Amino acid sequence: MLKNIIFSLFFVTYIFGIAQAQERTTSAELYEAIRKLNFLGSALYVGAHPDDENTAMISYLANDKLARTAYMSMTRGDGGQNLIGPELRELLGVIRTQELLQARKTDGGIQFFSRANDFGFSKNPEETFEFWEKEKVLSDLVYVIRKFKPDVIINRFDHRTPGATHGHHTASAILSKEAFQMAGDTTKFPEHLETVSSWQPYRLFFNDSWFLYESKEAFENADHSPHFKMNIGAYYNTLGVSNGEISAFSRSQHSSQGFGASGTRGHSTEYLEILEGEMPKDNIFDGIVTSWKRVRGGEEIENILSKVEENFDFKNPSASLPDLIKAYQLIQKLEDRHWKTIKTEEIKEIITDALGLYLSARAPMATAIAGEKIKVKIEAINRSQIPVHINSISINGEKHPLQSDLTYNRNFDTQKSYLIPQNTKPTTPYWLNEPHTIGMYHVSDPKLIGSPETPAPIKIEFNLNIAGQNISIQRDLIHSYTDPAKGEVLEPFTIVPKVSLKMEESVVIHPASTSKEVSVKVEAFTNDIQGKLKLKAPTNWKITPSEQSIILHKKGETQTFQFEILAPRDSSDIDLKAELEIDNQIFDKQIHKIDYGHIPSQKVMLPAEAKHVRIDIQKKGNKIAYIEGAGDQVAENLKQIGYEVETITPESIKKETLKNFDAIILGVRAFNVVPELQYKNKVLFDYVKKGGNVIVQYNVSRGQLLTEDIAPYPLQISTDRVTDEFSKVDFIDKEHPVLNYPNKITENDFENWVQERGLYFPNKWDSEFTPILSMHDKEEEPKEGSLLVAKYGEGYYVYTGLSFFRELPAGVPGAYRLFANLLSLGK
């Protein structure tokens, strides 16, 4: 029972404080932090995406070796799929950024990113560098190395195996190997040297792993004699948890990718191949000074902190305060600015935790606008007998005198006013502030490069005197409220514009030259909003009225305004933009709110616009059933072209229910994530046999299928895909109805596709299936499994790996026309 309690406390400490001003720290964790204070060494792990990192290795280096350990992800995972909601692209990148930050809070690491944009799967690094601007991404990595100053770098992937894995993977390793040599060369990227100094790491490794082999057995039987072997299966007695358990907690933060993991215990071997530097004998830090002897004046600090560690009182951590204060004073005298900065921040938090000192700054609301005066509630409590005095507080550098003794366990709180400067910019992910390309984000402020997120807009500095020593502790301003079900909820405080404009439909399809009603929702973030709302479009798209006057009296008030938009006769597409003019100032952004329980809530500003597409399209059938899979917007998109789409639950898959529909669509990865389909599939096949039409979108194989019986005839899914969205598409069976009725499909229908053609195509199928399309990436053999149609009884079964889940939300005309033909089969 005691072990379970310790384990639970560990879990709560790491997971509970998602948006907390100050995480709760146990004596055991404080002791580990003191041990880490005595280690002056760093390691950088390098990969391409969120989830590439070896969380077990990061946790081991951070918690066993006590090293400052960071993960450098080249991208934010923007090009992947989302298993928890509808967000894709930029919004998915925000989610995965926060998931990585939660993973690092769990395993003890630090997080960095480059400006590279995850544009989707690529098959080799050459293709990757067609979209990534190699010199800029390389510059970002060199900058992070110079800033973080790792002694060792570990690559997740092998730079020598292009084509063996995702092109982004190999590209990350290629960049890391080049950056290793460049970081110490002052002639390379000299602009960095204005803010950081050159740095030459000692060693570069490649972390060999089983997933780079055909199987785990093949990996185990491989020759590992040249490798440096590490047993990372540590057990942390003070925390009551194994390294494998921490690793699983960390891995499980990647909820949007469905990477929940179970903890492991016991011996676990990792293999590192040395690429640069000398092979170590016993420790990856062999030959590198990682004690306080590393810096001039550090030996006395080490002696003091070793005494603190040796005499640490778990029941009374504040007993270490006199020696911690001595160490703090000596750290301030260090000449080495790098380690002085790092260790100052570490020891300040240790002192705070040893005192049980709680410091918090909260706002009564979650948002405010520039120019608004807000109330800041200050709270402080000293849960030790050590004398602590507040000299003052500073809010974003604005000093507020405040004299108060913090006596033992007596809560102190006060309230201060702060006027947010008029020039304060809204809080939004910094990499989305400027227009970006398919492969790169643009960041004008070089100080932000590498940073995982935008700094908090308002920071409060507590200027304290602790046992005679002046120390300043910084906290971010947050918002808190009480939820009846969850209790206290804390979230980031953000600066927002006066209004948010939301187009109710992100994509609108005009199948004919008729008018459609467009709704724009306006949300006020301050009182007394008055202005003129208009939609901007080319002159051949007619908008009525041309503008509307709006008045919103209260902050938080919302109103929805309707416009009629008449599409032209000819096919065309536009980005319809909303603008609200208030006092000669234009507001044209939508605030997207991302709210999932495993990450802090996020507010993301993107242009308030919607894609409107005028296409000639015919359809047969009307009533469609949609069975949700891992999450997509296909059902909503099909409503745009006049289908009556009803989302049905797996429990509703019954003979009596299905007979009412003209077609059934399964959402992406339905056979991966909907357990009921293991036994409901026969109902679907029977529906087809009696004249129905079933369309199954892509699923992942590789052991993730809930059942092999995903079709009425044998079908085997592979990892085949076509990543080039511009690749030529050939028609195998030009006379097949799916290419001719009710819409004549031509090569033009495959223009302007986004990110890819498709993924996880079948590579083996029964002769009853008819392959419709052939396509391939450069220098590859044609693949014919992207769209397979089988007649089964009186109806049709369709399996498609074409990425309709991306193309329909992007308003790709040809994707709509082709999907309408699939739904019209047999009608």
Side-chain angles (χ1 to χ4, degrees):
M1 178 65 72
L2 179 59
K3 185 175 181 180
N4 291 336
I5 292 172
I6 293 172
F7 183 85
S8 298
L9 286 172
F10 170 83
F11 183 84
V12 167
T13 301
Y14 275 88
I15 306 303
F16 179 68
I18 284 180
Q20 304 251 356
Q22 180 176 345
E23 293 182 357
R24 279 64 168 165
T25 304
T26 66
S27 290
E29 291 164 329
L30 178 55
Y31 173 73
E32 294 301 322
I34 291 169
R35 292 181 63 223
K36 196 165 188 174
L37 192 60
N38 250 340
F39 190 90
L40 280 69
S42 304
L44 179 67
Y45 203 89
V46 177
H49 312 103
D51 85 357
D52 285 345
E53 79 274 26
N54 183 342
T55 56
M57 178 67 78
I58 291 173
S59 174
Y60 179 76
L61 293 174
N63 298 301
D64 188 276
K65 294 304 178 187
L66 307 175
R68 294 179 68 245
T69 307
Y71 175 48
M72 174 70 170
S73 179
M74 295 299 167
T75 75
R76 297 175 184 270
D78 329 69
Q81 287 89 53
N82 185 359
L83 300 188
I84 60 174
E87 297 89 354
L88 292 174
R89 291 304 312 158
E90 293 92 347
L91 296 179
L92 178 58
V94 173
I95 291 172
R96 292 193 173 177
T97 294
Q98 292 300 318
E99 288 178 339
L100 268 181
L101 287 171
Q102 295 311 310
R104 297 295 77 79
K105 284 184 179 180
T106 305
D107 57 36
I110 299 166
Q111 187 62 51
F112 294 111
F113 292 97
S114 83
R115 288 173 288 176
N117 190 349
D118 178 6
F119 56 84
F121 193 89
S122 68
K123 295 184 175 179
N124 54 65
E126 290 75 20
E127 180 183 337
T128 298
F129 289 131
E130 289 178 11
F131 295 93
W132 290 0
E133 296 178 45
K134 183 180 177 183
E135 280 300 297
K136 289 184 178 179
V137 183
L138 184 59
S139 170
D140 293 353
L141 181 51
V142 170
Y143 180 77
V144 167
I145 292 172
R146 288 171 170 175
K147 181 179 181 179
F148 186 68
K149 301 192 184 308
D151 298 305
V152 297
I153 299 176
I154 304 174
N155 290 348
R156 169 79 283 187
F157 302 103
D158 191 344
H159 67 284
R160 298 158 297 194
T161 56
T165 182
H166 196 322
H168 297 180
H169 293 169
T170 313
S172 72
I174 291 171
L175 291 167
S176 181
K177 194 165 191 309
E178 293 184 21
F180 180 89
Q181 299 290 354
M182 289 183 173
D185 186 343
T186 56
T187 67
K188 306 297 183 183
F189 305 112
E191 65 275 14
H192 295 171
L193 303 181
E194 295 179 10
T195 53
V196 295
S197 58
S198 61
W199 176 255
Q200 183 56 59
Y202 292 88
R203 296 187 177 99
L204 174 67
F205 295 100
F206 157 54
N207 187 187
D208 204 2
S209 180
W210 69 266
F211 66 79
L212 300 174
Y213 291 70
E214 293 181 0
S215 65
K216 287 186 177 181
E217 184 179 3
F219 175 67
E220 291 169 358
N221 293 331
D223 180 15
H224 296 297
S225 58
H227 292 161
F228 177 70
K229 301 176 183 62
M230 296 174 61
N231 172 22
I232 64 170
Y235 175 71
Y236 305 116
N237 287 287
T238 54
L239 301 175
V241 69
S242 71
N243 193 65
E245 288 166 327
I246 296 177
S247 172
F249 291 147
S250 177
R251 189 77 171 166
S252 298
Q253 300 309 304
H254 296 294
S255 296
S256 67
Q257 303 189 66
F259 280 165
S262 298
T264 60
R265 290 146 290 278
H267 188 97
S268 178
T269 303
E270 288 286 343
Y271 299 93
L272 300 179
E273 179 185 350
I274 190 76
L275 301 177
E276 300 282 354
E278 295 183 1
M279 172 71 87
K281 295 180 180 179
D282 303 311
N283 186 318
I284 64 170
F285 293 101
D286 275 351
I288 304 168
V289 179
T290 57
S291 69
W292 278 100
K293 295 180 178 65
R294 182 167 197 157
V295 295
R296 181 181 296 180
E299 289 190 48
E300 188 177 355
I301 300 172
E302 182 173 342
N303 292 335
I304 293 171
L305 292 177
S306 296
K307 177 184 173 184
V308 171
E309 181 181 334
E310 182 180 349
N311 298 323
F312 184 76
D313 186 342
F314 285 82
K315 291 184 178 181
N316 181 23
S318 64
S320 300
L321 243 296
D323 285 329
L324 288 171
I325 293 294
K326 289 178 185 177
Y328 173 83
Q329 292 168 340
L330 291 171
I331 290 172
Q332 304 319 297
K333 298 177 182 179
L334 291 177
E335 297 174 6
D336 188 309
R337 288 187 297 172
H338 175 71
W339 285 110
K340 175 182 177 180
T341 301
I342 291 166
K343 294 304 179 181
T344 293
E345 291 307 309
E346 286 183 10
I347 198 169
K348 284 200 298 187
E349 289 304 320
I350 287 171
I351 289 171
T352 302
D353 291 337
L355 292 169
L357 184 58
Y358 182 82
L359 303 171
S360 173
R362 305 190 186 193
M365 74 292 285
T367 63
I369 66 169
E372 183 175 350
K373 180 176 283 189
I374 62 172
K375 299 294 184 182
V376 178
K377 181 183 178 182
I378 303 297
E379 182 182 357
I381 184 167
N382 173 20
R383 290 166 285 198
S384 78
Q385 300 291 350
I386 304 295
V388 177
H389 183 83
I390 300 181
N391 294 325
S392 65
I393 63 163
S394 297
I395 305 177
N396 274 8
E398 179 184 287
K399 195 167 184 178
H400 294 257
L402 183 64
Q403 297 288 331
S404 179
D405 287 322
L406 298 182
T407 56
Y408 173 67
N409 211 28
R410 292 295 182 91
N411 192 60
F412 169 83
D413 61 71
T414 188
Q415 188 167 272
K416 297 293 180 182
S417 295
Y418 176 67
L419 180 64
I420 302 171
Q422 286 284 1
N423 61 352
T424 304
K425 294 181 179 179
T427 312
T428 192
Y430 71 85
W431 62 95
L432 299 178
N433 277 332
E434 303 172 52
H436 59 79
T437 64
I438 292 176
M440 290 293 297
Y441 288 114
H442 295 292
V443 180
S444 297
D445 186 350
K447 295 190 298 295
L448 289 173
I449 290 175
S451 300
E453 60 183 341
T454 302
I458 298 180
K459 295 180 179 294
I460 284 74
E461 192 165 40
F462 292 80
N463 303 306
L464 309 173
N465 185 283
I466 300 173
Q469 174 64 49
N470 289 331
I471 296 177
S472 294
I473 307 293
Q474 195 174 83
R475 294 286 180 257
D476 295 340
L477 181 65
I478 61 167
H479 169 63
S480 65
Y481 63 96
T482 302
D483 181 275
K486 301 175 183 176
E488 186 181 36
V489 177
L490 298 100
E491 59 181 332
F493 175 84
T494 55
I495 307 298
V496 294
K498 290 182 178 180
V499 292
S500 170
L501 310 180
K502 179 183 179 183
M503 309 286 270
E504 295 287 29
E505 301 288 347
S506 59
V507 175
V508 179
I509 306 299
H510 299 258
S513 182
T514 56
S515 64
K516 281 199 171 188
E517 187 175 80
V518 174
S519 297
V520 182
K521 182 179 179 180
V522 181
E523 181 178 3
F525 285 93
T526 187
N527 297 330
D528 301 322
I529 292 292
Q530 296 187 46
K532 299 289 186 181
L533 177 67
K534 63 176 65 176
L535 300 182
K536 298 189 68 176
T539 55
N540 60 334
W541 290 74
K542 305 301 181 184
I543 300 171
T544 307
S546 59
E547 66 178 28
Q548 297 191 51
S549 297
I550 72 162
I551 299 177
L552 284 80
H553 297 287
K554 295 293 184 181
K555 178 178 181 177
E557 183 180 351
T558 63
Q559 288 187 29
T560 301
F561 300 85
Q562 279 75 39
F563 293 83
E564 290 290 326
I565 180 163
L566 177 63
R569 292 185 179 276
D570 298 330
S571 297
S572 70
D573 63 87
I574 61 167
D575 289 323
L576 185 69
K577 302 178 186 296
E579 286 188 354
L580 178 58
E581 183 178 350
I582 303 173
D583 298 330
N584 297 318
Q585 186 177 2
I586 299 297
F587 294 87
D588 59 0
K589 296 291 191 294
Q590 175 183 347
I591 298 177
H592 296 262
K593 300 174 183 178
I594 298 175
D595 194 8
Y596 293 102
H598 68 299
I599 59 175
S601 61
Q602 301 291 301
K603 294 180 178 66
V604 184
M605 287 200 328
L606 293 174
E609 60 185 23
K611 184 146 192 173
H612 281 246
V613 184
R614 165 70 180 100
I615 57 176
D616 288 318
I617 188 170
Q618 304 296 321
K619 66 183 184 68
K620 297 295 179 180
N622 180 53
K623 195 169 183 180
I624 309 298
Y626 202 87
I627 302 168
E628 291 183 330
D632 59 63
Q633 301 177 54
V634 171
E636 294 301 314
N637 297 139
L638 293 176
K639 293 177 183 178
Q640 288 287 336
I641 54 175
Y643 283 107
E644 182 183 338
V645 185
E646 180 181 338
T647 299
I648 64 172
T649 64
E651 293 78 17
S652 301
I653 303 175
K654 300 176 183 178
K655 176 182 176 182
E656 298 76 17
T657 305
L658 299 187
K659 69 180 182 181
N660 298 318
F661 296 101
D662 297 313
I664 314 294
I665 305 172
L666 274 66
V668 298
R669 296 185 63 177
F671 278 106
N672 296 137
V673 300
V674 183
E676 291 86 349
L677 289 178
Q678 296 176 78
Y679 51 88
K680 293 286 188 178
N681 53 354
K682 301 297 192 296
V683 181
L684 293 172
F685 302 156
D686 187 59
Y687 164 80
V688 176
K689 195 172 186 179
K690 294 180 179 178
N693 186 353
V694 166
I695 300 170
V696 178
Q697 298 181 80
Y698 95 94
N699 288 270
V700 177
S701 56
R702 300 183 71 176
Q704 297 187 51
L705 286 172
L706 295 166
T707 174
E708 295 296 326
D709 298 326
I710 64 172
Y713 303 112
L715 181 75
Q716 183 173 309
I717 301 173
S718 72
T719 57
D720 288 351
R721 65 204 304 162
V722 175
T723 62
D724 181 3
E725 64 266 41
F726 308 109
S727 63
K728 188 176 185 301
V729 177
D730 294 314
F731 299 161
I732 299 172
D733 186 349
K734 296 182 180 180
E735 304 305 316
H736 196 283
V738 81
L739 295 176
N740 293 279
Y741 182 81
N743 303 289
K744 179 68 175 178
I745 303 300
T746 70
E747 290 184 0
N748 293 337
D749 288 297
F750 291 92
E751 293 180 355
N752 300 315
W753 281 47
V754 298
Q755 188 159 320
E756 62 200 356
R757 290 294 189 197
L759 63 170
Y760 295 103
F761 300 162
N763 62 354
K764 294 180 181 178
W765 52 82
D766 190 87
S767 60
E768 294 291 336
F769 282 103
T770 300
I772 306 298
L773 307 173
S774 175
M775 60 188 73
H776 63 90
D777 282 322
K778 187 167 52 179
E779 299 179 1
E780 290 190 355
E781 293 297 316
K783 294 177 173 58
E784 299 183 349
S786 65
L787 180 57
L788 303 173
V789 180
K791 191 80 164 59
Y792 182 64
E794 298 300 316
Y796 288 88
Y797 172 93
V798 177
Y799 187 92
T800 178
L802 293 171
S803 58
F804 287 111
F805 73 102
R806 294 194 190 281
E807 312 312 320
L808 299 186
V812 177
Y816 278 91
R817 286 163 46 83
L818 179 56
F819 210 103
N821 282 13
L822 295 176
L823 291 169
S824 302
L825 280 168
K827 299 178 177 59

